[in-house]
Coordinates of all heavy atoms in Angstrom, one line a residue:
S3 N -138.4 -107.4 120.4 CA -138.2 -108.7 120.0 C -139.5 -109.4 119.5 O -139.5 -110.0 118.4 CB -137.5 -109.6 121.1 OG -136.3 -109.1 121.4
V4 N -140.5 -109.2 120.3 CA -141.8 -109.8 119.9 C -142.4 -109.2 118.6 O -142.9 -109.9 117.8 CB -142.8 -109.6 121.1 CG1 -144.2 -109.9 120.6 CG2 -142.4 -110.4 122.3
I5 N -142.2 -107.9 118.5 CA -142.6 -107.2 117.3 C -142.0 -107.7 116.0 O -142.6 -107.9 115.0 CB -142.4 -105.7 117.4 CG1 -143.4 -105.1 118.4 CG2 -142.5 -104.9 116.1 CD1 -143.1 -103.6 118.8
N6 N -140.7 -108.0 116.1 CA -140.0 -108.6 115.0 C -140.5 -110.0 114.6 O -140.6 -110.3 113.4 CB -138.5 -108.6 115.2 CG -137.8 -107.4 114.8 OD1 -137.2 -107.2 113.8 ND2 -137.8 -106.4 115.7
V7 N -140.9 -110.7 115.7 CA -141.5 -112.1 115.4 C -142.8 -111.9 114.7 O -143.2 -112.6 113.7 CB -141.7 -112.8 116.7 CG1 -142.5 -114.1 116.5 CG2 -140.3 -113.2 117.3
G8 N -143.6 -110.9 115.2 CA -144.9 -110.7 114.6 C -144.8 -110.2 113.1 O -145.6 -110.7 112.3
W9 N -143.9 -109.4 112.8 CA -143.7 -108.9 111.4 C -143.4 -110.1 110.5 O -143.9 -110.3 109.4 CB -142.5 -107.9 111.4 CG -142.9 -106.6 111.8 CD1 -144.1 -106.1 112.0 CD2 -142.0 -105.5 112.1 NE1 -144.1 -104.8 112.4 CE2 -142.8 -104.4 112.5 CE3 -140.6 -105.4 112.1 CZ2 -142.2 -103.2 112.9 CZ3 -140.0 -104.2 112.5 CH2 -140.8 -103.1 112.9
G10 N -142.5 -111.0 111.0 CA -142.1 -112.2 110.2 C -143.3 -113.1 110.0 O -143.6 -113.6 108.9
V11 N -144.1 -113.3 111.1 CA -145.3 -114.2 110.9 C -146.3 -113.6 110.0 O -146.9 -114.2 109.1 CB -146.0 -114.4 112.3 CG1 -147.3 -115.1 112.2 CG2 -145.1 -115.2 113.2
G12 N -146.5 -112.3 110.1 CA -147.4 -111.6 109.2 C -147.0 -111.7 107.7 O -147.8 -111.9 106.8
A13 N -145.7 -111.5 107.5 CA -145.1 -111.6 106.1 C -145.4 -113.0 105.5 O -145.7 -113.2 104.4 CB -143.7 -111.2 106.1
L14 N -145.2 -114.0 106.4 CA -145.4 -115.4 105.9 C -146.8 -115.7 105.5 O -147.1 -116.3 104.5 CB -144.9 -116.4 107.0 CG -143.4 -116.5 107.2 CD1 -143.1 -117.4 108.4 CD2 -142.7 -117.0 105.9
I15 N -147.7 -115.2 106.4 CA -149.2 -115.4 106.1 C -149.6 -114.6 104.8 O -150.4 -115.1 104.0 CB -150.0 -114.9 107.3 CG1 -149.7 -115.8 108.5 CG2 -151.5 -115.0 107.0 CD1 -150.4 -115.3 109.8
A16 N -149.0 -113.4 104.7 CA -149.3 -112.6 103.5 C -148.9 -113.3 102.2 O -149.4 -113.0 101.1 CB -148.7 -111.2 103.6
G17 N -147.9 -114.2 102.3 CA -147.4 -114.9 101.1 C -148.6 -115.7 100.5 O -148.5 -115.9 99.3
V18 N -149.6 -116.1 101.3 CA -150.7 -116.9 100.7 C -151.5 -116.0 99.8 O -151.8 -116.4 98.6 CB -151.6 -117.4 101.8 CG1 -152.8 -118.1 101.3 CG2 -150.8 -118.3 102.8
A19 N -151.7 -114.7 100.2 CA -152.5 -113.8 99.3 C -151.7 -113.5 98.1 O -152.2 -113.4 97.0 CB -152.8 -112.5 100.1
L20 N -150.4 -113.3 98.2 CA -149.5 -113.0 97.1 C -149.5 -114.1 96.1 O -149.4 -113.9 94.9 CB -148.1 -112.6 97.5 CG -148.0 -111.4 98.4 CD1 -146.6 -111.2 98.9 CD2 -148.4 -110.1 97.6
K21 N -149.6 -115.4 96.6 CA -149.6 -116.5 95.7 C -150.8 -116.6 94.8 O -150.7 -116.8 93.6 CB -149.5 -117.8 96.6 CG -149.5 -119.1 95.7 CD -149.4 -120.3 96.6 CE -149.3 -121.6 95.8 NZ -150.5 -121.8 95.0
Y22 N -152.0 -116.3 95.4 CA -153.2 -116.3 94.7 C -153.4 -115.0 93.8 O -154.0 -115.0 92.8 CB -154.4 -116.5 95.6 CG -154.5 -117.9 96.1 CD1 -154.1 -118.2 97.4 CD2 -155.0 -118.9 95.4 CE1 -154.2 -119.5 97.9 CE2 -155.1 -120.2 95.8 CZ -154.7 -120.5 97.1 OH -154.7 -121.8 97.6
D23 N -152.9 -113.9 94.4 CA -152.9 -112.6 93.6 C -154.3 -112.3 93.1 O -154.5 -111.9 91.9 CB -151.9 -112.6 92.5 CG -151.6 -111.3 91.9 OD1 -151.9 -110.3 92.6 OD2 -151.1 -111.2 90.8
T24 N -155.3 -112.4 93.9 CA -156.7 -112.0 93.6 C -157.2 -111.0 94.6 O -156.8 -111.0 95.7 CB -157.6 -113.2 93.5 OG1 -157.7 -113.8 94.8 CG2 -157.1 -114.3 92.6
R25 N -158.2 -110.2 94.1 CA -158.8 -109.3 95.1 C -159.4 -109.9 96.3 O -159.2 -109.4 97.4 CB -159.9 -108.4 94.3 CG -160.5 -107.4 95.3 CD -161.4 -106.4 94.6 NE -162.0 -105.5 95.6 CZ -161.4 -104.4 96.1 NH1 -160.2 -104.0 95.7 NH2 -162.1 -103.6 97.0
P26 N -160.2 -111.0 96.1 CA -160.7 -111.7 97.3 C -159.6 -112.1 98.3 O -159.8 -112.0 99.6 CB -161.4 -112.9 96.8 CG -161.8 -112.5 95.4 CD -160.7 -111.7 94.9
A27 N -158.5 -112.5 97.9 CA -157.4 -112.9 98.8 C -156.9 -111.7 99.5 O -156.6 -111.7 100.7 CB -156.3 -113.6 98.0
Y28 N -156.7 -110.5 98.8 CA -156.2 -109.3 99.4 C -157.3 -108.8 100.4 O -156.9 -108.3 101.5 CB -155.9 -108.3 98.4 CG -154.7 -108.6 97.5 CD1 -154.8 -108.6 96.1 CD2 -153.5 -109.0 98.1 CE1 -153.7 -108.9 95.3 CE2 -152.4 -109.4 97.3 CZ -152.5 -109.3 95.9 OH -151.5 -109.6 95.1
V29 N -158.6 -108.9 100.0 CA -159.6 -108.4 100.9 C -159.6 -109.2 102.2 O -159.7 -108.6 103.3 CB -161.0 -108.5 100.2 CG1 -162.1 -108.3 101.3 CG2 -161.1 -107.5 99.1
A30 N -159.4 -110.5 102.1 CA -159.4 -111.4 103.3 C -158.2 -111.0 104.2 O -158.3 -110.9 105.4 CB -159.3 -112.8 102.9
I31 N -157.0 -110.7 103.6 CA -155.9 -110.3 104.4 C -156.1 -109.0 105.1 O -155.8 -108.8 106.3 CB -154.6 -110.2 103.5 CG1 -154.2 -111.6 103.1 CG2 -153.5 -109.5 104.2 CD1 -153.7 -112.5 104.2
L32 N -156.7 -108.0 104.4 CA -157.0 -106.7 105.0 C -158.0 -106.8 106.2 O -157.9 -106.1 107.2 CB -157.5 -105.7 104.0 CG -156.4 -105.2 103.0 CD1 -157.0 -104.3 101.9 CD2 -155.3 -104.4 103.7
V33 N -159.0 -107.7 106.0 CA -159.9 -107.9 107.1 C -159.2 -108.6 108.3 O -159.5 -108.2 109.5 CB -161.1 -108.9 106.6 CG1 -161.9 -109.3 107.8 CG2 -161.9 -108.1 105.6
V34 N -158.3 -109.5 108.0 CA -157.5 -110.1 109.1 C -156.6 -109.0 109.8 O -156.5 -109.0 111.0 CB -156.7 -111.3 108.6 CG1 -155.7 -111.8 109.7 CG2 -157.5 -112.4 108.1
C35 N -156.1 -108.1 109.0 CA -155.3 -107.0 109.5 C -156.1 -106.2 110.5 O -155.6 -105.9 111.6 CB -154.7 -106.1 108.4 SG -153.4 -106.8 107.4
A36 N -157.3 -105.8 110.1 CA -158.1 -105.0 111.0 C -158.5 -105.8 112.2 O -158.6 -105.2 113.3 CB -159.4 -104.6 110.2
A37 N -158.8 -107.1 112.1 CA -159.2 -107.9 113.2 C -158.1 -108.0 114.2 O -158.3 -107.9 115.4 CB -159.7 -109.3 112.8
L38 N -156.9 -108.2 113.7 CA -155.7 -108.3 114.6 C -155.4 -107.0 115.3 O -155.0 -106.9 116.5 CB -154.5 -108.8 113.8 CG -154.4 -110.3 113.4 CD1 -153.3 -110.5 112.5 CD2 -154.3 -111.1 114.7
A39 N -155.6 -105.9 114.6 CA -155.4 -104.6 115.2 C -156.4 -104.3 116.3 O -156.1 -103.8 117.3 CB -155.5 -103.5 114.1
L40 N -157.7 -104.8 116.0 CA -158.7 -104.7 117.1 C -158.4 -105.5 118.3 O -158.5 -105.1 119.4 CB -160.1 -105.1 116.5 CG -161.3 -105.0 117.4 CD1 -161.5 -103.6 118.0 CD2 -162.5 -105.6 116.8
L41 N -157.9 -106.7 118.0 CA -157.5 -107.6 119.1 C -156.4 -107.0 119.9 O -156.4 -107.1 121.2 CB -157.1 -109.0 118.6 CG -156.5 -110.0 119.6 CD1 -157.6 -110.4 120.6 CD2 -156.0 -111.2 118.8
A42 N -155.4 -106.4 119.3 CA -154.3 -105.8 120.0 C -154.8 -104.7 120.9 O -154.3 -104.6 122.0 CB -153.3 -105.2 119.0
S43 N -155.8 -103.9 120.5 CA -156.3 -102.8 121.3 C -157.1 -103.4 122.5 O -156.9 -102.9 123.6 CB -157.2 -102.0 120.4 OG -156.5 -101.4 119.4
L44 N -157.8 -104.4 122.3 CA -158.6 -105.0 123.4 C -157.8 -105.7 124.4 O -158.1 -105.7 125.6 CB -159.7 -106.0 122.8 CG -160.7 -105.3 121.9 CD1 -161.7 -106.4 121.4 CD2 -161.5 -104.2 122.6
L45 N -156.6 -106.3 124.0 CA -155.7 -106.9 124.9 C -155.1 -105.9 125.9 O -154.7 -106.3 127.0 CB -154.6 -107.6 124.1 CG -155.0 -108.9 123.5 CD1 -153.9 -109.5 122.6 CD2 -155.4 -110.0 124.5
V46 N -155.0 -104.6 125.5 CA -154.5 -103.6 126.3 C -155.4 -103.4 127.6 O -154.9 -103.0 128.6 CB -154.4 -102.3 125.6 CG1 -153.9 -101.1 126.5 CG2 -153.3 -102.4 124.4
L47 N -156.6 -103.8 127.5 CA -157.5 -103.7 128.6 C -157.1 -104.6 129.8 O -157.5 -104.4 130.9 CB -159.0 -104.1 128.2 CG -159.7 -103.1 127.3 CD1 -161.0 -103.6 126.8 CD2 -159.9 -101.7 128.0
R48 N -156.2 -105.6 129.5 CA -155.7 -106.4 130.6 C -154.6 -105.7 131.4 O -154.2 -106.3 132.4 CB -155.2 -107.7 130.0 CG -156.2 -108.5 129.2 CD -155.7 -109.8 128.6 NE -155.3 -110.7 129.6 CZ -154.8 -111.9 129.4 NH1 -154.6 -112.3 128.2 NH2 -154.5 -112.7 130.4

């Protein structure tokens, strides 16, 4: 259930990059993707 919420939130945020449709916007989104993936891994330490 939580994963489905996360997918929806991610899709909404990604809409910002799709609106601007520029490489800097896509780069920013991919950096955020990697940062969130790193955060998910570190939270497992709890």
Side-chain angles (χ1 to χ4, degrees):
S3 296
V4 169
I5 287 170
N6 273 264
V7 172
W9 282 346
V11 171
L14 288 174
I15 297 174
V18 177
L20 295 176
K21 179 179 183 298
Y22 287 101
D23 194 20
T24 62
R25 181 172 175 84
Y28 292 129
V29 168
I31 289 296
L32 288 175
V33 171
V34 172
C35 285
L38 286 170
L40 178 61
L41 175 62
S43 301
L44 296 180
L45 285 171
V46 175
L47 291 173
R48 301 181 64 180

